[in-house]
Amino acid sequence: MSEAIKKLVALQRVDDELARARVELAELPGLREAAEARRAESLEALEEARDAVRAHELEQRTFESGLSDAEERKRHLEGQSSQVKSNEAYTALLQEIEDAQRSIGEMEDKILEAMDVLEAAREALAVSEQRAAEAGASADGELARLAGRQAELDKDVERLVGARDVAAEALDPEVRRRYFKVVEKRRPALAVVTKEVCTGCRVGIPPQDFVDLLSAEDIVQCRTCKRILVHADGLAGEG
Ligand SMILES: [Zn+2]
């Protein structure tokens, strides 16, 4: 393998690593948002569960107060029975007492139903509390992990930019220019040639280009994908 290709391979290694680190860095804000969104979602569900319990508690208190009103009314009507003068008035009073008794029965039924509903809402609230606690802990863990990764990647990028500059500086300016021109459009910028085919784009290499590639005097680019070609034999042992 020619010196130029060796240097290009070295540049590509560090440059691709740098590109990967930058891609990962760019993904971090989205991952942070997703972790926060999962936390917010669980808190929203918790708030809804709390609202449901409050609503059912209020409903139960309304029925209890309705029961106590009906009981009070019944006691009041019963207290009037000794003062009733006529049969008609007495029949009417009995009817009113019966109505009050029916209201009492209805309220008692509603209270029992509301207790069941309230019980279910409290159980759902307990589940939501558990889930919110888990989601919160998981979000905290994820955010801490992402912060750690961010710090690592920032350091990697700093190191790799330096290493890439050194590797690029070692190249002939024209070769360097051609590498960076290719890498703007596609990675990796180098493509191995096996069986006279560019493995970057799977298109065959014209015979003259293949001869040039074997002579390794100048760098040869694929006519189709523009990648800089490296002969497979030349790459053996270079990693
Ligand atoms: Zn190609």
Side-chain angles (χ1 to χ4, degrees), residues 179-193:
Y179 171 84
F180 283 112
K181 190 155 183 248
V182 174
V183 95
E184 265 174 34
K185 297 198 174 81
R186 43 184 68 87
R187 267 179 205 283
L190 304 187
V192 172
V193 173

Side-chain angles (χ1 to χ4, degrees), residues 198 200-202 222 224-227 229:
C198 163
C201 67
R202 304 271 155 205
C222 171
T224 307
C225 71
K226 310 294 178 213
R227 285 186 176 89
L229 300 173

Side-chain angles (χ1 to χ4, degrees), residues 37-209:
R38 286 195 295 276
R39 185 210 305 274
E41 207 175 291
S42 72
L43 288 177
E44 205 173 296
L46 177 59
E47 210 36 62
E48 275 172 25
R50 279 189 184 132
D51 286 347
V53 167
R54 276 189 216 109
H56 292 308
E57 281 171 348
L58 180 65
E59 189 181 47
Q60 201 183 33
R61 280 200 296 278
T62 306
F63 294 145
E64 278 165 355
S65 142
L67 173 63
S68 127
D69 288 350
E71 284 171 342
E72 176 59 32
R73 192 161 70 246
K74 191 185 165 206
R75 266 196 303 279
H76 177 72
L77 291 166
E78 282 170 346
Q80 287 178 341
S81 63
S82 58
Q83 298 151 32
V84 171
K85 306 284 188 251
S86 70
N87 277 342
E88 279 148 8
Y90 190 69
T91 306
L93 181 63
L94 281 184
Q95 185 59 51
E96 278 191 77
I97 291 172
E98 207 176 289
D99 288 348
Q101 182 56 51
R102 193 168 47 244
S103 287
I104 290 171
E106 280 170 10
M107 285 301 150
E108 282 171 344
D109 287 349
K110 283 181 175 171
I111 287 168
L112 285 177
E113 278 170 35
M115 272 171 65
D116 284 347
V117 174
L118 179 57
E119 187 58 31
R122 283 180 175 150
E123 280 169 19
L125 174 58
V127 170
S128 289
E129 277 169 346
Q130 173 78 18
R131 282 189 187 148
E134 284 165 6
S138 150
D140 287 345
E142 174 73 348
L143 291 174
R145 186 188 72 78
L146 293 172
R149 193 65 191 130
Q150 169 99 43
E152 281 172 5
L153 288 166
D154 283 343
K155 230 185 273 177
D156 285 352
V157 166
E158 201 185 330
R159 171 180 61 80
L160 290 165
V161 165
R164 185 196 57 180
D165 288 351
V166 169
E169 206 52 45
L171 282 168
D172 170 77
E174 174 57 17
V175 174
R176 181 166 63 228
R177 188 191 69 74
R178 283 161 80 176
Y179 171 84
F180 283 112
K181 190 155 183 248
V182 174
V183 95
E184 265 174 34
K185 297 198 174 81
R186 43 184 68 87
R187 267 179 205 283
L190 304 187
V192 172
V193 173
T194 50
K195 298 194 172 87
E196 299 183 38
V197 167
C198 163
T199 56
C201 67
R202 304 271 155 205
V203 172
I205 307 297
Q208 185 53 51
D209 284 0

